[in-house]
């Protein structure tokens, strides 16, 4: 397939590969991942019939798929393009072999459209003798790789640094393999938080393989990475109206040294460490940040001039000094920085300096941002004279302020206008900064595909700048975008390369983010126990560095992992530590993450009143667009835990009616499941949607079982529950196994099938001492079996775990059931 294929056009339909959508007469429809994969595979091999096994591999990424599953995907694919199994005008069934694409297709590239008429002669129904299945790793076998083929390749030197990886499975198959956790409180916020990299905070990392393998390239990167330079806040004697220079000068000197090719820690990192270790001596700072040189600066008035003195010292107390004098403070700092850079092995910086008045205003604004005074920074920039306000670099700083203030749409409009200007065309470094910032804005707006394209361009341009920090940010940002779209192998490659670049830039905090997000990966892969060591280390590193935003993000992720493991007491303790950070957080989305994660932990602990008060806080409703429905799902869980299933149904119905087209489908599936379980408990009708064609995630399978249970179809309900249990046990996440066991065993006890329920409850017995729902189920089972003493002990255990939830009554009969928690 051509590297530049962008669209397939057939009849009134257009299958757009980069946008992952189907358009009919210009009207776009977002396709389910497997339907998209199916259409891509058939169209790409339209010159022949595609075997069943080849189509299964392309769509599901695994061989153990039933004929019914494949038939369902083909049925949906036909419906998407106005076809059906009777007419077969577009997708023809080839008996005992597979399927074949029929309509003529026009292949459109980014440069031109290539008409491709095809023969319409009848097909015999047998595969062509020369037709061979595509290799497992080829684009033909994995049509989802088309968007990857369109991405600009990173520079050759970076490619060489990336570890070799096996061919990716299809994105759809990976999306299906990643079974959502018990409550499906999306982890998109963690990846979105990582995307702050593009405005001065480095991004997170994603390594796919196990912990032992993942740490090998990390250690290698640290072994070859140059030791960083740490620039301390400046000391000023009689600063007068230049008090801003304490932080502004620090940032200015660090930027000049970095632009000379030296590895310099970001100013935000340095200030965070100093905040956490205010009394640390230089030796302690070097150890905690792996810094080789500590640079201190002094600025004093000498007559009408400023004199700036710089000193760099290493662990042996050897040092280098440089100084310069000028009437302008920043010019003196510029000259002194150049002289110090030369002694440390840096190169001369090209003369692209801003006019003195503009440079000072920009550094004043940067100082305000470093002090977390966002609106002060905005006021400084907006107070500039008209000619300064029109300068691209001042407008770029305003966009950075908008990002910090959560004004993403406004910031994006500013960046788009700047990218169309002459400065962005003539200055590759500035263009890369704009593209990286634009990618961060788009990720915050939950527009990951557009963000990926922005980072693609940044990576293509960054080779002209020789700036590893900017390249590392671009690669990290693209990896975040790929992770949000579940392009895991691509995210893996990008993060591996990004780590090398960020390590070579000496950015210790950025490298720590890369390593920390191994924990995020393990949670997303369904391995919460493996995630905890990474998240524990991340919390220690970020706390030592004073990285409050990152510390908050990964504490919340640790709560999620512990809840998946049904370790509720530990999760509650961790949520309290995350809650203590709330006053220090400024971003509304991060504050929302703390509030909602704590509410999640409180509900699991049975502290319903506290959880309810958190869910009505203003912060709880300020999540990012990609987090839509998270609070609503928690409100439904709260109603269920409080014994108000009818209220839970009403809340779920309202949330489902308002669900946006681009909302997270997996969270929506969990919300729909809770709605149907609440309807059973409230003796209300199961919704018509429960009988609709659903996917194959855990909540989808359980919704199918509930619908058939409500209709009295015992065999189909049992089959649905068994399929859900098989899927949950395949993943091995305790919370997911518990969800299925409580639902299925409750159904069995309701029908008097105590022996079957006993075998099922035994699968989750190790967690009954930690989880209220399992303890209550165990007590109910033992009563149905007539084991009075054991039932009383189990009931006491459930009562101890209940909190504000209704503990099971001793007189409860086997015919009563409650919805799965």
């Amino acid at each position: 397939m051509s590297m530049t294929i962008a669209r397939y056009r057939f009849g009134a339909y257009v299958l757009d590969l980069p946008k992952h959508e189907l358009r009919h007469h210009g009207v776009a429809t977002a396709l389910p991942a497997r339907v998209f994969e199916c259409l891509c595979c058939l169209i790409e091999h339209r010159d022949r019939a595609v075997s069943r096994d080849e189509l299964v591999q392309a769509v599901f990424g695994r061989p153990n798929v039933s004929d019914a599953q494949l038939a369902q995907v083909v049925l949906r694919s036909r419906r998407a393009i106005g076809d059906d199994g009777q007419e077969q005008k577009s997708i023809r069934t080839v008996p005992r072999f597979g399927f074949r694409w029929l309509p003529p297709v026009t292949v459109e590239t980014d440069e031109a459209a290539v008409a491709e008429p095809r023969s319409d002669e009848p097909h015999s129904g047998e595969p062509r003798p020369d037709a061979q299945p595509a290799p497992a790793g080829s684009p033909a076998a994995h049509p989802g790789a088309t968007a990857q083929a369109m991405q600009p390749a990173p520079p050759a030197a970076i490619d060489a640094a990336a570890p070799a990886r096996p061919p990716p499975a299809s994105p759809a198959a990976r999306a299906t393999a990643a079974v959502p956790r018990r409550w499906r409180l999306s982890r998109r916020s963690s990846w979105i938080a990582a995307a702050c990299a593009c405005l001065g905070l480095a991004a997170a990392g994603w390594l796919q393989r196990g912990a032992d393998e993942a740490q090998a390239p990390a250690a290698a990167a640290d072994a070859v990475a140059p030791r960083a330079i740490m620039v301390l806040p400046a000391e000023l004697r009689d600063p007068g109206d230049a008090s801003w220079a304490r932080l502004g000068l620090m940032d200015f000197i660090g930027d000049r040294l970095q632009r000379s090719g030296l590895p310099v820690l970001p100013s935000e990192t340095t200030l965070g460490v100093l905040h956490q270790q205010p009394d640390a001596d230089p030796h302690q700072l070097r150890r905690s940040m792996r810094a080789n040189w500590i640079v201190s600066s002094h600025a004093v008035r000498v007559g009408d001039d400023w004199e700036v003195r710089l000193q760099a010292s290493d662990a042996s107390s050897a040092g280098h000094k440089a100084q310069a004098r000028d009437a302008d403070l920043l010019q003196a700092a510029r000259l002194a920085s150049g002289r110090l850079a030369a002694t440390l092995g840096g190169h001369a910086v090209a003369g692209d300096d801003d006019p003195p008045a503009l440079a000072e205003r920009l550094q004043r604004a940067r100082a305000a941002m470093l002090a977390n005074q966002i609106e002060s920074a905005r006021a400084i920039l907006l107070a500039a004279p008209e000619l300064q306000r029109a300068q691209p670099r001042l407008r770029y700083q305003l966009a950075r302020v908008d990002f910090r203030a959560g004004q993403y749409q406004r910031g994006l409009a500013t960046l788009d206008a700047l990218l169309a200007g002459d400065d962005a065309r003539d200055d590759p470094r500035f263009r890369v900064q704009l593209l990286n910032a634009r990618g961060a804005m788009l990720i915050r707006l939950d527009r990951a595909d557009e963000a990926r394209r922005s980072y693609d361009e940044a990576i293509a341009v960054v080779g002209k700048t020789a700036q590893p920090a900017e390249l590392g940010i671009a690669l990290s940002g693209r990896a975040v975008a790929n992770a949000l779209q579940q392009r895991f192998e691509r995210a893996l490659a990008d993060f591996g390369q990004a780590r090398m670049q960020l390590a070579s830039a000496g950015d210790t905090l950025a490298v720590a983010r890369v390593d920390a997000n191994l924990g995020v990966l393990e949670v997303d892969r369904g391995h919460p126990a493996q995630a905890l060591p990474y998240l524990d280390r991340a919390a220690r590193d970020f706390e030592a560095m004073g990285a409050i935003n990152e510390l908050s993000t990964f504490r919340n992720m640790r709560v999620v992992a512990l809840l998946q493991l049904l370790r509720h007491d530990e999760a509650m303790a961790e949520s309290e530590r995350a809650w203590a950070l709330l006053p220090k957080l400024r971003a509304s989305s991060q504050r929302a993450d703390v509030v909602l994660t704590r509410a999640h932990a409180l509900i699991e602990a049975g502290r319903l009143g506290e959880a309810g008060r958190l869910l009505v806080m203003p912060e709880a409703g300020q999540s990012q667009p990609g987090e839509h429905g998270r609070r609503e799902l928690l409100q439904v869980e709260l109603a269920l835990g409080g014994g108000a299933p009818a209220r839970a149904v009403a809340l779920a119905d309202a949330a489902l009616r308002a669900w946006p087209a681009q909302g997270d489908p997996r969270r929506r599936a969990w919300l729909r499941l809770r709605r149907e379980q609440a309807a059973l408990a409230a003796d209300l009708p199961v919704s018509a949607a429960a009988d609709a064609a659903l996917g194959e995630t855990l909540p989808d399978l359980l919704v199918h079982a509930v619908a058939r249970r409500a209709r009295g179809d015992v065999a189909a309900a049992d089959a649905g529950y068994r399929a859900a249990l098989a899927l949950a046990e395949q993943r091995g996440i305790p919370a997911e196994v518990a969800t299925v066991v409580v639902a299925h065993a409750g159904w069995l006890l309701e029908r008097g099938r105590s022996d079957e329920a006993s075998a099922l409850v035994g699968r989750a017995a190790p967690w009954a001492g930690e989880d209220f729902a399992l303890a209550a189920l165990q007590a109910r089972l033992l009563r149905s079996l007539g084991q009075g003493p054991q039932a009383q002990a189990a009931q006491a255990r459930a009562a101890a775990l209940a909190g504000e939830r209704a503990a099971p009554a001793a007189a409860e009969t086997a015919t009563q059931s409650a919805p799965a928690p």
Side-chain angles (χ1 to χ4, degrees), residues 51-389:
S51 71
R52 175 201 179 278
D53 291 343
E54 182 180 350
L55 188 59
V56 163
Q57 184 62 36
V59 173
F60 293 86
R62 54 186 172 88
N64 56 331
V65 174
S66 68
D67 290 339
Q69 289 175 290
L70 180 61
Q72 185 75 358
V73 172
V74 173
L75 173 63
R76 295 182 191 176
S77 301
R78 282 173 168 153
R79 288 176 178 172
I81 57 175
D83 195 10
D84 59 42
Q86 297 297 320
E87 293 187 5
Q88 297 191 14
K89 58 186 179 183
S90 297
I91 300 176
R92 174 184 293 170
T93 300
V94 180
R96 291 182 295 179
F97 182 77
F99 303 90
R100 186 189 177 199
W101 182 265
L102 297 180
V105 175
T106 297
V107 179
E108 295 183 356
T109 69
D110 285 337
E111 294 80 23
V114 182
E116 196 178 52
R118 48 173 279 116
S119 170
D120 287 325
E121 64 186 85
H123 191 269
S124 65
E126 297 296 327
R128 285 172 27 190
D130 60 339
Q132 298 294 328
S138 69
H142 303 297
T146 52
Q148 181 185 36
M150 298 172 62
Q151 298 173 354
I158 307 307
D159 280 343
R165 295 291 176 185
S170 76
R174 292 193 174 277
T176 302
V179 179
R181 66 175 174 268
R182 186 180 186 181
W183 284 11
R184 194 54 218 170
L185 300 185
S186 173
R187 292 170 295 274
R188 294 175 70 85
S189 58
S190 296
W191 291 113
I192 290 174
C196 293
C198 309
L199 288 180
L201 302 174
W206 188 293
L207 299 178
Q208 174 95 13
R209 303 240 177 131
D212 293 338
E213 180 180 349
Q215 291 190 9
D222 286 340
V224 301
R227 303 294 276 179
I229 297 171
M230 187 177 195
V231 181
L232 301 178
E235 296 183 17
L236 283 84
R237 186 185 305 168
D238 300 325
D241 62 353
S243 58
W244 59 269
R246 180 176 180 274
L247 300 182
L249 207 60
M250 173 191 74
D251 189 66
F252 182 84
I253 294 167
D255 179 66
R256 299 299 296 186
L257 294 177
Q258 184 185 62
R259 290 171 63 186
S260 73
L262 298 171
V264 180
L265 291 173
S267 300
E268 291 88 351
T269 302
T270 298
L271 291 176
V273 173
L274 294 176
H275 177 74
Q276 291 297 117
Q277 305 177 40
D279 300 323
D281 60 36
H283 294 292
Q284 291 174 308
L285 293 175
R286 288 190 192 93
R287 282 195 302 271
S288 63
M289 300 307 297
R290 302 174 188 171
N292 194 22
W293 295 96
I294 302 289
V295 174
S296 58
S297 59
H298 297 75
V300 297
R301 282 280 191 184
V302 180
D304 294 332
D305 291 341
W306 281 100
E307 184 173 273
V308 175
R309 304 167 188 165
L310 305 181
Q311 179 169 343
S313 58
D314 63 10
S316 65
S317 298
H320 297 281
K321 296 182 179 180
Q323 67 181 56
R325 183 185 296 185
D326 193 270
D328 180 75
L329 175 59
L330 291 182
Q331 178 62 14
R334 184 179 291 111
L335 294 171
S337 299
R339 293 165 185 168
L340 182 65
T343 66
L344 294 175
H347 57 72
V349 178
D352 57 350
D353 302 317
D354 296 313
L358 175 61
E360 179 177 324
R361 188 172 296 276
L362 293 177
Q363 286 308 131
R364 285 176 180 267
R366 276 290 292 150
M369 292 179 69
L370 289 170
N372 210 25
Q373 298 170 0
I374 306 306
E375 291 310 312
S376 294
R378 187 192 304 279
I380 291 169
L381 296 170
L382 293 178
E386 184 176 353
L387 288 178
Q388 282 189 14
R389 288 202 305 272

Side-chain angles (χ1 to χ4, degrees), residues 542-599:
F542 293 138
E543 189 166 18
M545 296 181 194
I548 298 300
N549 292 330
E550 291 82 356
L551 181 60
S552 169
T553 294
F554 290 100
R555 284 207 187 286
N556 288 330
M557 183 54 60
R558 193 170 186 274
V559 173
V560 168
L562 290 167
L563 289 176
Q564 289 189 347
L565 294 169
L566 298 180
R567 290 158 60 176
H568 299 313
D569 290 344
E570 293 178 65
M572 178 56 60
E574 187 68 12
S575 79
E576 289 170 357
R577 287 187 282 270
W579 180 256
L581 298 174
L582 186 67
K584 302 178 182 180
L585 301 175
R586 295 294 179 267
S588 59
S589 59
Q590 282 201 299
R591 293 174 65 82
D593 191 27
V594 171
V595 171
L596 294 176
T597 302
R598 181 158 176 79

